[in-house]
């Protein structure tokens, strides 16, 4: 019995070591999104045209709508799939510090068929633009007849005081990724084949926003990459620097008066 008890810790230690060795360490989501943001290189022989890019609604709460069309050459190996193309795509949005996406809102919308999204980090919805940071988000969608429309709720942050009434803020152009496969099989015959090497680059990203499973994705050239220009610009109202002293005096005065009134009201009640 004593011999068996001595063997048990050895077996346990062996199992732990074997389990650790079997665990596949995946790169963190932040590292993956940084790879997407820093990616540069050749593309598959596919090109995405951003046919529509607009901000709907008014005020500080908008909807960013992006219409995408994938151009496939006639001699491309996948061009014969035009009858049933349903390729998963990712629209990579670079969110500047002047705007934000409410992750709780996205989670609620996803339950009812809204967009699936993964963000590089949590976005504080209360911070003004001056103390916020930029983020990268992956918005998942699916092509139908080589077309897709992605709608993302986008909110504008409060701006720091300025010399003008409005601050012009750019909404950066998106980048498009298409899911691909290394081998053709019965499940993925309709997907483009990854050609990892000097011809193109392949990124390993989550298959969707609801699973930890990873798939292969390849960037496709978009027409906005040719010019490198921002496709949208929005004017956000901001306070005037010349009004700073007036606003501070007014705020402090109202705070003091309100405090004195509450103290007087509380004293009156206690006296009665």
């Amino acid at each position: 019995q004593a011999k068996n008890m001595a063997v048990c810790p050895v077996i346990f230690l062996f199992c732990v070591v074997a389990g650790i060795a079997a665990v596949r360490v995946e790169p963190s989501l932040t590292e993956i999104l940084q790879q997407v943001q820093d990616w540069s290189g050749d593309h598959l022989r596919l090109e995405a045209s951003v046919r529509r890019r607009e901000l709907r609604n008014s005020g500080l709460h908008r909807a960013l709508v992006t219409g995408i069309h994938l151009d496939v050459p006639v001699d491309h190996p996948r061009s014969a799939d035009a009858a049933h193309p349903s390729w998963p795509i990712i629209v990579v949005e670079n969110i500047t510090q002047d705007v934000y996406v409410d992750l709780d809102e996205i989670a609620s919308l996803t339950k009812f068929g809204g967009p699936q999204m993964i963000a590089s980090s949590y976005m504080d919805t209360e911070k003004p633009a001056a103390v916020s940071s930029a983020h990268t988000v992956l918005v998942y969608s699916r092509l139908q007849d080589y077309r897709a429309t992605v709608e993302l709720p986008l909110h504008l942050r409060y701006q720091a005081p300025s010399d003008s009434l409005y601050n012009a803020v750019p909404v950066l152009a998106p980048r498009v990724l298409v899911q691909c496969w290394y081998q053709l099989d019965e499940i993925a015959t309709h997907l483009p084949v990854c050609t990892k090497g000097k011809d193109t680059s392949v990124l390993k990203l989550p298959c969707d926003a609801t699973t930890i499973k990873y798939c292969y994705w390849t960037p496709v050239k978009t027409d906005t990459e040719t010019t490198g220009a921002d496709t949208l610009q929005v004017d956000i109202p901001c306070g005037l620097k010349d009004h700073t002293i007036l606003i501070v005096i007014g705020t402090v005065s109202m705070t003091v008066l309100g405090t004195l009134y509450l103290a007087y009201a509380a004293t009156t009640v206690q006296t009665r």
Side-chain angles (χ1 to χ4, degrees):
Q1 185 176 3
K3 184 178 179 180
N4 292 337
M5 293 180 63
V7 173
C8 287
V10 177
I11 296 176
F12 175 76
L13 181 60
F14 174 78
C15 293
V16 171
V17 173
I20 294 175
V23 173
R24 182 177 61 181
V25 179
E26 299 285 359
S28 67
L29 182 59
T30 304
E31 293 174 350
I32 292 173
L33 292 178
Q34 191 62 43
Q35 291 177 11
V36 176
Q37 195 171 15
D38 297 340
W39 182 89
S40 62
D42 296 330
H43 304 74
L44 285 177
R45 291 174 56 238
L46 301 172
E47 185 171 346
S49 300
V50 179
R51 300 290 177 87
R52 184 174 52 165
R53 184 78 165 166
E54 61 178 344
L55 279 172
R56 292 180 179 173
N57 305 331
S58 58
L60 297 179
H61 307 287
R62 307 292 185 92
L64 178 60
V65 180
T66 305
I68 297 171
H69 180 270
L70 192 67
D71 299 320
V72 182
V74 178
D75 60 342
H76 192 275
R78 299 290 91 195
S79 62
D81 300 324
H84 53 84
S86 183
W87 296 355
I89 65 169
I90 293 177
V91 180
V92 183
E93 295 283 2
N94 293 314
I95 307 298
T96 65
Q97 65 181 28
D98 297 291
V99 298
Y100 69 91
V101 176
D102 190 339
L103 301 183
D104 295 328
E105 179 186 11
I106 294 295
S108 301
L109 293 175
T110 303
K111 297 177 182 178
F112 300 97
Q116 291 190 17
M117 191 193 77
I118 296 179
S120 57
S121 60
Y122 183 77
M123 302 184 202
D124 192 333
T125 60
E126 301 298 331
K127 283 185 176 181
V131 294
S132 300
S133 56
H135 298 80
T136 302
V137 299
L138 306 181
V139 185
Y140 288 82
S141 185
R142 187 174 287 271
L143 292 171
Q144 298 293 338
D145 294 328
Y146 293 113
R147 292 176 176 83
T149 300
V150 179
E151 183 171 339
L152 182 67
L154 196 67
H155 307 277
L156 312 181
R157 295 187 184 274
Y158 291 110
Q159 301 292 301
S162 175
D163 295 326
S164 58
L165 287 174
Y166 294 93
N167 186 19
V169 172
V171 178
L172 303 180
R175 174 170 285 175
V176 180
L177 311 178
V178 175
Q179 187 176 338
C180 61
W181 293 77
Y182 277 117
Q183 295 179 350
L184 288 178
D185 51 33
E186 294 181 358
I187 300 176
T189 51
H190 61 287
L191 291 174
V193 183
C194 303
T195 54
K196 189 174 183 180
K198 63 179 182 179
D199 295 331
T200 187
S201 297
V202 176
L203 300 170
K204 198 173 184 182
L205 302 170
C207 297
D208 56 53
T210 60
T211 180
I212 58 174
K213 181 182 177 183
Y214 283 75
C215 296
Y216 295 105
W217 301 81
T218 181
V220 296
K221 190 174 183 179
T222 59
D223 52 5
T224 53
E225 289 181 28
T226 332
T227 59
D230 301 325
T231 55
L232 279 182
Q233 195 169 15
V234 57
D235 293 330
I236 304 179
C238 52
L240 293 175
K241 288 182 179 179
D242 296 340
H243 296 169
T244 302
I245 297 178
L246 179 63
I247 292 174
V248 169
I249 293 175
T251 303
V252 173
S253 300
M254 293 304 297
T255 303
V256 172
L257 290 175
T259 304
L260 292 175
Y261 174 78
L262 291 175
Y264 171 77
T267 305
T268 305
V269 171
Q270 289 180 359
T271 304
R272 292 180 181 178

